[in-house]
Amino acid sequence: MRENPCLPSLIIVLLFLAACQSSSPGTGAPGPQTDRDRDGLRGPVRAALTEDVILPDPNSPFEGQIATSVSIYEESGRRTLETPYRIALPAGHAITRHETYFNPAKAANPPLVERTAGLLVEYDIHGNLVRQRTDEAPDRQSELSIRYEYDAMGNWIRRTLSRSAGANAPPQREASYRHLIYFNQSPAEAAEAGPVRAGATTGKGALAYDEDAARTLFNQRCVVCHGEDGKGKTELAAALAPPPRDLTESKLSLEAVLAYLGQTPAAGRVHGLGGRLPEDRLQLLALHARRLSQGTAGGAQLARATPTPTAAPAVAERRYALKGKIVSIELDLRQVAVEHEEIVGYMEAMTMPFPLPDEAMLRRLKKGDRIEATLLVDRSGWRLQNVVIK
């Protein structure tokens, strides 16, 4: 076969053009390369604890419902652990979703403001959503605004959200805290020491111990670092330098545990609930921590500090009436999020995900439906039954 004399020249030209294209600047920033990048984290992050909380009272900093998750990374940026977002409950926990509000493409490719039919979306230079508004009639207009606080690496460590759904509806407030541990962080930077809150006392008016409430609160606020046994032997604890304290140490007094838990939050300290929880909640946490070490000096002190209530008989099953509005439907998780009224005798009004095993009803429900149902709580957990669309 006769050789084509133009073929070598054509190959050289194509190779040259490909080389120019691959080396030309400004042809688009590379996308996230590692799990850590895709999670919107900058720098050598070793571990991240994220807490999503509801702020029920606009006039108070104290927090309501909380969901937590932990992510741990190798130095290369590969994620080795990611726990689901869990809400601790007296009968176990519920799994909920976490909104990242992060778009890496927006950090690399301005403009940061986008307008489409009936919708305005705005991002900051990091690619984090700061505003989203629907341009509808005022009584149906919804807006989400988000403020961020950043650390020195450019990672947000606190995020505050405000949602409004119409001119006459009060805004809903939420916050997220992200506690970050870096590979290059020195023990001094991660030290647990810090100012102790004034007024952290266990004197007159101290809270009586309620086992179910105390365990649920401890699981919400402390288990991720200290474990259910309070000894501080968890996967996140292993990434901390120094590690969290063993709350069951016999040498710790009830007052010392309360002061430790009630420290003012600061960079590098994962704990620090001062200003985030009211005094009675901090007392309940401290009482539970000391109860974990019963039989030690701390346990004896607890017995002297607060009376032990008469144990209630074990209840195999409890049923509560629930009324509320469907906020979201998770078919894959077989659960619905409900903005519900107070569940008398069990839970204050809030928005909460509930398992719904009835698949037919799950598929009938729509966002915005108002429902009445029975909340069944037993030793295996909780779930909705007898759902009626009103």
Side-chain angles (χ1 to χ4, degrees):
M1 183 174 66
R2 186 178 178 184
E3 183 179 355
N4 186 341
C6 297
L7 188 57
S9 299
L10 179 61
I11 292 174
I12 292 172
V13 170
L14 291 174
L15 290 173
F16 175 77
L17 290 174
C20 290
Q21 184 176 10
S22 64
S23 61
S24 297
T27 57
Q33 300 299 305
T34 69
D35 294 332
R36 188 164 52 206
D37 296 332
R38 284 184 284 272
D39 290 343
L41 294 167
R42 299 163 173 255
V45 174
R46 182 180 181 185
L49 165 62
T50 306
E51 302 172 310
D52 291 344
V53 302
I54 302 296
L55 302 173
D57 185 348
N59 300 314
S60 170
F62 298 142
E63 302 165 358
Q65 171 188 325
I66 178 171
T68 60
S69 177
V70 173
S71 296
I72 296 180
Y73 306 88
E74 295 177 340
E75 287 194 75
S76 65
R78 186 176 76 88
R79 191 192 311 107
T80 59
L81 174 70
E82 183 177 38
T83 64
Y85 280 81
R86 292 180 173 180
I87 301 171
L89 304 165
H93 66 264
I95 297 174
T96 187
R97 286 192 171 181
H98 163 83
E99 297 290 347
T100 63
Y101 299 112
F102 170 67
N103 187 338
K106 297 305 174 185
N109 298 293
L112 303 178
V113 179
E114 292 183 340
R115 291 181 182 272
T116 57
L119 183 66
L120 179 145
V121 181
E122 183 178 352
Y123 297 86
D124 67 10
I125 60 172
H126 301 285
N128 295 314
L129 180 71
V130 295
R131 188 183 182 199
Q132 181 172 294
R133 189 186 71 197
T134 58
D135 293 324
E136 298 181 357
D139 60 331
R140 292 185 298 168
Q141 188 178 81
S142 64
E143 183 165 349
L144 169 66
S145 60
I146 309 177
R147 294 187 296 107
Y148 299 87
E149 297 174 21
Y150 291 92
D151 67 7
M153 294 296 296
N155 291 311
W156 67 260
I157 52 176
R158 175 170 172 146
R159 182 177 70 184
T160 308
L161 298 83
S162 177
R163 305 173 188 270
S164 62
N168 300 320
Q172 294 181 340
R173 297 167 61 245
E174 303 171 20
S176 293
Y177 300 89
R178 197 159 63 177
H179 308 273
L180 303 177
I181 298 95
Y182 293 90
F183 278 99
N184 59 356
Q185 189 165 303
S186 70
E189 291 172 322
E192 299 280 20
V196 175
R197 293 178 64 248
T201 65
T202 56
K204 186 177 179 180
L207 191 70
Y209 184 73
D210 179 327
E211 185 172 1
D212 283 346
R215 184 188 304 109
T216 300
L217 187 62
F218 192 84
N219 288 345
Q220 289 175 343
R221 300 288 178 165
C222 304
V223 160
V224 68
C225 289
H226 295 275
E228 291 186 16
D229 60 2
K231 294 185 179 298
K233 305 295 183 184
T234 65
E235 292 182 87
L236 178 61
L240 297 173
R245 296 196 70 161
D246 178 355
L247 297 179
T248 67
E249 289 179 23
S250 60
K251 66 181 181 181
L252 287 177
S253 67
L254 185 62
E255 285 76 9
V257 175
L258 182 57
Y260 175 81
L261 296 172
Q263 292 181 89
T264 304
R269 279 207 316 277
V270 171
H271 80 277
L273 298 173
R276 294 180 59 185
L277 291 180
E279 197 65 43
D280 61 344
R281 301 292 91 185
L282 290 172
Q283 287 190 28
L284 196 58
L285 283 174
L287 289 169
H288 186 73
R290 300 317 299 142
R291 196 170 182 87
L292 290 172
S293 62
Q294 279 209 354
T296 67
Q301 181 176 351
L302 171 61
R304 292 193 301 271
T306 182
T308 301
T310 303
V315 178
E317 184 178 285
R318 290 172 287 175
R319 295 174 181 271
Y320 302 92
L322 177 145
K323 295 181 180 180
K325 182 177 70 174
I326 299 294
V327 174
S328 66
I329 302 165
E330 311 291 348
L331 291 173
D332 52 341
L333 298 176
R334 290 196 173 187
Q335 72 177 19
V336 291
V338 184
E339 182 183 339
H340 63 79
E341 301 173 9
E342 178 187 4
I343 303 175
V344 178
Y346 190 67
M347 185 185 299
E348 64 189 39
M350 63 177 67
T351 300
M352 177 74 76
F354 295 95
L356 178 55
D358 186 343
E359 188 170 347
M361 176 56 70
L362 197 62
R363 294 185 179 278
R364 280 183 58 197
L365 288 171
K366 303 185 300 297
K367 182 178 178 180
D369 281 347
R370 300 204 66 84
I371 65 166
E372 293 183 3
T374 299
L375 175 62
L376 174 64
V377 182
D378 58 22
R379 292 190 179 96
S380 65
W382 68 348
R383 55 202 173 276
L384 292 183
Q385 291 184 337
N386 308 321
V387 177
V388 177
I389 302 174
K390 304 304 288 185

